[in-house]
Amino acid sequence: MTTPPPCTTACARPGTAQEILHQVFGYDSFRGHQREAIDHVTSGGDVIVLMPTGGGKSLCYQIPSLLRAGTGVVVSPLIALMEDQVTAVREVGIRAAYLNSSLDMDAQRQVERDFLAGRLELLYVAPERLLTPGCLALLHRGTVALFAIDEAHCVAQWGHDFRPDYLGLSTLAEQWPHVPRIALTATATRATHDEITERLALQRAKHLVSSFDRPNICYRIEPKSAVKDQVATFIRTEHPGDSGIVYALARATTEDVAQHLRSHGTHALAYHAGMDAEARRAVQRRFLAEDAITVVATLAFGMGIDKPDVRYVAHIDLPKSVEGYYQETGRAGRDGEPATAWMAYGLADVVQQRRFIAESAADPLHQRAAQARLDAMLALCETAQCRRVNMLDYFGEHIDPCGHCDTCMSPPAAWDGTVPSQKLLSTVVRLDRERGQRYGAGQIIDILRGHHTPRVAQHRHDTLSTWGIGADLNETEWRAVVRQLLARGDLAIAPGGHGVLVATPASWQVLHGERSVSLRRNLPRRPRLRPATGGSHVDAERSTGPVQVPGSIPARAEDRGGASSSGPTGRGADPAPADMAIFEALRAWRGTLARDRGVPAYVIFHDSTLRALASTKPTTVTEMGRIHGIGEAKCKAYAAQVLAIVAGEEGEPAPS
Ligand code: ADP
Ligand code: ZN
């Protein structure tokens, strides 16, 4: 690491938060609760910030760190990402460093000296490092401007990302009672919020809770059939040439699916915990640095990845909670431009997740909590409501139907499933009561459909009174009935992990005709508007999803407002064809520079900034400095090259 320049301003910058926003970051106005959070922390108060991914949490601690004397200490859980975080803030001219186990002794000593000499405005530290006696002593010897606890939901023991080290962070309140603390997370459940408050001793903090709606993400969930083909078709028809993440549960699946996608023309790389650290790091680097890479990953991938232009997140296995699903899908479209969250799920997923819970070493209380989280996830998959209404409801927020998720675009027809539900439940109950036998969905459906198999013959299931009474529905339709009954709690999977179906108290109300069962009908497949690039593969997919009209999704409302009110930034709009050449030239320049310097491309400029440069074609440094996302440091560093490219003076740069 290079040494930051000496501190010339006693590490508190002159000016107001607004001035710093403009000079350092190149932005015109604060978003949502940013201003309140910044003002409160700057004046010494504690804050809890709940803001969705892409909402702009970082500025909430970065700006107060610049305004207050001393160094802002940022607790961040992922060592692998610290270097990128530091690179990004240095790029805008902030004096920053990190301390973690990847540094050699000399580099570490240098960071410590810089901190003690007041030369650092931001210091990123992993929680396990921070809590060592040596590090705590170091911090006591210098001046701490504030503590920022990023990904604060990691402190929640009931949550999905629990890190035991986070529990120790309550010591910061005891040891530095007069230093403000700001905890930030994109997990919005009430329970997590309460745990953060309590475990980080933030009872006196100001709570700033933003809307968790992400209007630029289009949510779609469809039944799983041939999932490799489904995901390949989804990417090829809707996101060719885009960056995206495909999440799978098993390591082997990630390899297999990445291979399949490559054979279908998508530039896909696998990422999982079984790969060695160097290989994983290489994948992460390429994903950040290059355009148009799909990473097929286990859930370990992505937390804290600040890549703003991930255009889609696909799940090919059922996530275990709505919290996790929301966070993973939230990695799409941080730049506020249209993005897709797509999932395929089937009955086998439910059985598998149920098995994971049953086989986990957790105590019964934790198992029950895990089951409740899975139930909520299932309810989201099977809802006939707007996906977003359902999801935000879970986080305690009420919104109107979004108008562009799959269920809004093609509201699933409801049908009266009372009689089929009774047939199915009665088969489950009869087998159990009369014969002491319990089965998974496959056997139950064979019985209902009157399907002769060796197993049916062996157990004489063709003598049951429900034999063949469900021949009017096909296998797929019956599976949809089972999934929906599970999601409604009218049927359950027995603990033990074999996918065995059992009745619940609610089943009896249905069986006794006390309650009717309204089910959603899975719609027939429809062709999509955007044509497939290499021959139609539409038959391979089974989509309940809508026809997507590219570009029909509203970008983040405030960004739209900002674009029109903030002068000639041209944000959000594609450059006119004539400007496209400039845009491509800028992109090529950025790609070469990013590769040479070993930094992610977006750290230099976002796509939206390049687009604004291409359409406004600044001719002076002052004009360039007015463009969204260009602060003083970047203007100074890049004006000469950028202005030359915009003026068409640069020769054809090497393609990126
Ligand atoms: P989070 O940590 O909440 O996911 P980030 O802090 O990474 O979000 O911010 C997301 C993106 O929004 C970043 O590219 C950031 O530069 C940009 N951003 C943040 N605040 C503003 C603002 N006030 N105006 C314009 N862009 C902003
Ligand atoms: Zn909707």
Side-chain angles (χ1 to χ4, degrees), residues 21 27 29-31 34 52-59 306 334 606 628:
L21 178 74
Y27 298 143
S29 52
F30 287 108
R31 277 184 186 161
Q34 280 179 332
T53 309
K57 285 184 284 301
S58 331
L59 288 192
D306 291 345
R334 288 165 86 109
H606 283 191
H628 182 81

Side-chain angles (χ1 to χ4, degrees), residues 9 86 90-91 99 104 125 165 174 184-185 191 271 287 353 367 428 435 453 469 484 518 554 579 595 597 618:
T9 57
V86 167
R90 283 187 176 175
E91 192 66 23
L99 273 180
D104 63 29
V125 195
D165 285 321
E174 291 154 21
L184 311 105
T185 178
Y271 179 104
F287 182 64
Q353 287 289 0
Q367 287 202 353
V428 170
R435 305 200 181 179
T453 65
I469 60 171
Q484 294 184 70
S518 172
D579 302 337
R595 253 199 320 275
R597 295 187 33 205

